[in-house]
Amino acid sequence: EPEVTQTPSHQVTQMGQEVILRCVPISNHLYFYWYRQILGQKVEFLVSFYNNEISEKSEIFDDQFSVERPDGSNFTLKIRSTKLEDSAMYFCASSVPPRQGFWNGELFFGEGSRLTVL
Amino acid sequence: SQQGEEDPQALSIQEGENATMNCSYKTSINNLQWYRQNSGRGLVHLILIRSNEREKHSGRLRVTLDTSKKSSSLLITASRAADTASYFCATDAHQGAQKLVFGQGTRLTINP
């Protein structure tokens, strides 16, 4: 069964360092997402990406964050200068486009990348 | 409460019993989805119910949606130990990409 894969599964970094989290979405999906979950809190939307550009982003997704689809298969989230509060589980997800304006299917989530900022 | 709030926050039942979790939300939605998350793992989609649907079934899962009360319930019948997980409702109110708003989740424990 096709799945979204994420690497690394866990990364520990020093505050101020750059981090790149990688995702391989399901191959025929066209929408890609990053969500995050701070320990014990809700899953929060960060950004959606379609047709090689950001389609929507949340307040959390400030200038420190960027996304890229560098080679047609990988989808990356870069945090330019990590802060302590960036420590969280980061989930990549992908989905097929809507049909006739309706989203009929689910988001397919990866297993997550746990980021620990020290 | 915020969009997509589940209750109870934690539920512990015996194997074989039914588990019911509720979700309330505040704004109009296109659809509501339920996801499961095993400890430390990713989110697994369970079921999606559209705003014009009132009830949906999938195996041992039954979801209801009451848009007048802005609430949904997830019923798991004949629970199994493997159902132990956190369950989240997520609402989608956007016309564009799926910007899901998740609730805090219900932690379900099935005791053998």
Side-chain angles (χ1 to χ4, degrees), chain B residues 61-72:
Chain B
L61 305 180
R62 173 178 166 250
V63 168
T64 63
L65 179 65
D66 187 335
T67 52
S68 66
K69 295 181 180 177
K70 292 187 169 58
S71 66
S72 172

Side-chain angles (χ1 to χ4, degrees), chain A residues 37-101:
Chain A
Q37 185 180 32
I38 295 172
L39 188 62
Q41 298 188 22
K42 297 181 182 185
V43 176
E44 301 172 290
F45 170 81
L46 291 179
V47 66
S48 59
F49 191 86
Y50 171 69
N51 201 25
N52 286 319
E53 60 182 24
I54 290 173
S55 53
E56 191 158 359
K57 60 183 181 180
S58 71
E59 305 174 336
I60 304 167
F61 195 88
D62 61 21
D63 292 343
Q64 294 295 321
F65 291 88
S66 63
V67 289
E68 195 177 31
R69 189 158 159 81
D71 56 12
S73 62
N74 289 286
F75 178 52
T76 62
L77 174 69
K78 182 191 290 186
I79 308 175
R80 188 151 52 91
S81 178
T82 50
K83 306 170 193 162
L84 295 176
E85 54 264 36
D86 294 329
S87 294
M89 182 77 91
Y90 288 82
F91 293 106
C92 174
S94 66
S95 68
V96 296
R99 293 179 188 173
Q100 300 176 335

Side-chain angles (χ1 to χ4, degrees), chain A residues 31 33 35 37 40-45 48 55-58 89 91 95 101-107 109-112 114, chain B residues 2-5 30-31 33 35 37 40-45 48 50 88 92 94-104:
Chain A
Y31 281 83
Y33 311 81
Y35 284 75
Q37 185 180 32
Q41 298 188 22
K42 297 181 182 185
V43 176
E44 301 172 290
F45 170 81
S48 59
S55 53
E56 191 158 359
K57 60 183 181 180
S58 71
M89 182 77 91
F91 293 106
S95 68
F102 288 103
W103 291 94
N104 290 323
E106 70 263 36
L107 292 190
F109 283 86
E111 289 290 326
R114 180 170 297 285
Chain B
Q2 297 179 28
Q3 187 85 342
E5 290 296 321
N30 294 324
N31 62 62
Q33 305 180 41
Y35 286 82
Q37 184 182 35
R41 302 293 298 276
L43 294 152
V44 176
H45 180 264
L48 178 152
R50 289 195 210 173
F88 297 88
D92 178 15
H94 276 60
Q95 296 302 321
Q98 285 181 292
K99 181 183 174 182
L100 298 182
V101 178
F102 284 83
Q104 196 77 24

Side-chain angles (χ1 to χ4, degrees), chain B residues 55-89:
Chain B
E55 187 171 314
K56 208 161 183 180
H57 296 254
S58 176
R60 293 184 296 112
L61 305 180
R62 173 178 166 250
V63 168
T64 63
L65 179 65
D66 187 335
T67 52
S68 66
K69 295 181 180 177
K70 292 187 169 58
S71 66
S72 172
S73 68
L74 171 67
L75 168 68
I76 304 174
T77 60
S79 63
R80 305 167 182 167
D83 295 329
T84 294
S86 291
Y87 291 83
F88 297 88
C89 70

